[in-house]
């Protein structure tokens, strides 16, 4: 997506080259009208957030005023480019050139299909990519809704799906700048008591507790989110706890991303009984208490002891009984 963004900026240059060439060629100011039309169409396709989104909205006075302001801004921009071209032509002593007027118009027009093939503003926004800060602010209001829509395929994954397939789907969905919003939406969806999604929960716990996610704070609060996804399930906590102990020891500066120590103690004391052997349940509860102590120490700047046993990258497969 970042490569596409760079290519779009390159293709956009063609849009501006057309009026410059027209100015250099000595064409009359009437040429600014078709160029303005091209600029407005480009703006509607590449920057839809700046225009009314529905026919009903187009019928309102504020929408017409906003659209008129956009058109006027493009007229001014084209006139400036046209004038710059004429000024450069005068400095270079270039007289009127026998140039087909369709040439500069075509150069500007070709920017529209090129940019549209490279960039879908709505799709890019759903992944957290924006052409500039203005576009980012414009999409801020519905960013949460887009994140909720993006996670629907994950929530539709069957528990019978292979672990590797679910892990790949999770990584693909969350490998975007909007990962935090999507992870938050998943945590909220999985908090509903009628949702099990054991395969998805397992993949999320693994993804959110990977060192490459936690160390650079790629997703704020990822460790707390993974803990929430585990939801007190002992099978998932057996996966979470050793990874969390290793991560807090390795990256104590990321302590704020972990669950609050009081919450860890609360789950350790109140988590419902499981059909796991008693000694495994005791290990999980002891691990949660140890994690609470480590997080508390890291939050106040004290050294954190390394775990006695390094966790496996992936412990024994989690039973899908959640």
């Amino acid at each position: 997506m970042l490569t596409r963004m760079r290519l779009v900026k390159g293709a956009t240059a063609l849009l501006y080259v057309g009026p410059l060439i027209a100015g250099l060629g000595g064409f009359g100011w009437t040429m600014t009208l078709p160029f303005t039309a091209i600029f407005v169409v480009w703006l509607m396709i590449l920057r839809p957030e700046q225009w009314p989104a529905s026919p009903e909205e187009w019928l309102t006075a504020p929408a017409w005023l906003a659209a008129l302001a956009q058109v006027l801004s493009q007229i001014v921009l084209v006139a400036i480019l046209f004038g710059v071209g004429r000024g450069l032509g005068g400095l270079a002593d270039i007289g009127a050139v026998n140039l087909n007027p369709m040439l500069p118009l075509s150069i500007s027009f070709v920017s529209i299909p090129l940019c549209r093939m490279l960039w879908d503003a709505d799709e890019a926004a759903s992944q957290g990519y924006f052409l500039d800060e203005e576009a980012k602010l414009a999409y801020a209001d519905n960013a949460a809704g887009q994140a909720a829509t993006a996670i629907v395929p994950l929530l539709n994954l069957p528990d019978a799906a292979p672990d590797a397939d679910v892990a790949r789907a999770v990584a693909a969905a969350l490998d975007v700048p909007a990962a935090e919003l999507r992870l938050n939406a998943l945590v909220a969806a999985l908090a509903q008591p009628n949702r099990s999604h054991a395969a998805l929960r397992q993949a999320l716990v693994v993804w959110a507790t990977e060192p490459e996610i936690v160390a650079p704070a790629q997703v704020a609060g990822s460790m707390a989110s993974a803990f929430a996804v585990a939801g007190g399930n002992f099978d998932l906590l057996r996966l979470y706890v050793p990874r969390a102990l290793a991560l807090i020891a390795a990256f104590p500066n990321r302590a704020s991303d972990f669950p609050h120590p009081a919450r860890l103690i609360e789950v350790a004391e109140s988590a419902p009984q499981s059909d796991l052997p008693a000694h495994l349940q005791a290990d999980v509860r002891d691990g949660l208490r140890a994690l609470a102590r480590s997080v508390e120490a890291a939050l106040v700047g004290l050294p954190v002891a390394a775990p006695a046993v390094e966790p496996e990258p992936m412990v024994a497969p989690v039973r899908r009984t959640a």
Side-chain angles (χ1 to χ4, degrees), residues 5-312:
M5 190 182 300
R6 297 187 186 98
L7 291 174
V8 165
K9 292 178 179 179
T12 301
L14 296 174
L15 189 72
Y16 305 126
V17 168
L20 288 172
I21 293 178
L24 281 169
F27 289 102
W29 286 97
T30 54
M31 282 284 287
T32 60
L33 295 178
F35 276 117
T36 299
I38 292 173
F39 274 54
V40 170
V41 171
W42 179 93
L43 197 63
M44 295 180 74
I45 291 176
L46 269 291
R47 307 301 295 269
E49 72 278 359
Q50 297 183 358
W51 300 86
S54 65
E56 293 78 13
E57 192 177 351
W58 271 106
L59 297 178
T60 62
W64 276 100
L65 290 175
L68 179 61
Q70 294 285 5
V71 173
L72 291 176
S73 69
Q74 298 310 298
I75 291 175
V76 171
L77 178 58
V78 170
I80 290 173
L81 291 169
F82 204 83
V84 169
R86 282 201 155 194
L88 292 175
L91 289 174
D93 197 22
I94 299 176
V97 179
N98 186 17
L99 188 67
N100 189 324
M102 291 304 296
L103 178 60
L105 287 172
S106 298
I107 291 174
S108 287
F109 180 80
V110 79
S111 175
I112 297 175
L114 280 177
C115 289
R116 182 60 186 85
M117 286 189 295
L118 291 168
W119 192 258
D120 183 324
D122 291 331
E123 179 187 358
S126 71
Q127 299 180 34
Y129 293 96
F130 306 95
L131 289 175
D132 53 34
E133 285 299 319
E134 184 182 352
K136 185 175 181 179
L137 291 173
Y139 275 101
D141 291 340
N142 62 348
Q146 291 172 342
T149 301
I151 66 169
V152 170
L154 294 180
L155 295 173
N156 289 335
L157 289 170
D159 271 355
D163 290 339
D165 291 348
V166 179
R168 279 194 294 269
V170 166
L174 298 180
D175 187 21
V176 295
E180 183 178 350
L181 284 175
R182 294 188 179 186
L183 185 57
N184 291 341
L186 282 165
V187 171
L190 294 173
Q192 300 179 27
N194 62 333
R195 292 186 182 274
S196 59
H197 297 289
L200 177 58
R201 289 177 188 272
Q202 174 181 325
L204 285 171
V205 168
V206 173
W207 183 88
T209 56
E210 291 289 358
E212 56 266 30
I213 301 297
V214 177
Q218 183 172 322
V219 178
S222 64
M223 294 301 298
S225 296
F227 186 71
V229 166
N233 179 284
F234 272 92
D235 285 300
L236 292 170
L237 289 174
R238 285 179 64 211
L239 175 61
Y240 175 87
V241 169
R243 297 166 73 92
L245 285 168
L247 288 167
I248 192 62
F251 311 110
N253 59 315
R254 300 263 62 91
S256 59
D257 289 338
F258 283 71
H260 193 277
R263 177 58 181 158
L264 293 167
I265 295 295
E266 178 186 353
V267 173
E269 301 296 340
S270 63
Q273 293 295 318
S274 162
D275 59 354
L276 280 175
H279 71 282
L280 293 180
Q281 294 186 48
D283 287 345
V284 171
R285 295 181 193 275
D286 290 344
L288 288 171
R289 296 185 187 99
L291 180 59
R293 291 192 296 271
S294 295
V295 173
E296 190 169 19
L299 287 173
V300 298
L302 296 176
V304 178
V309 179
E310 290 293 329
E312 296 293 332

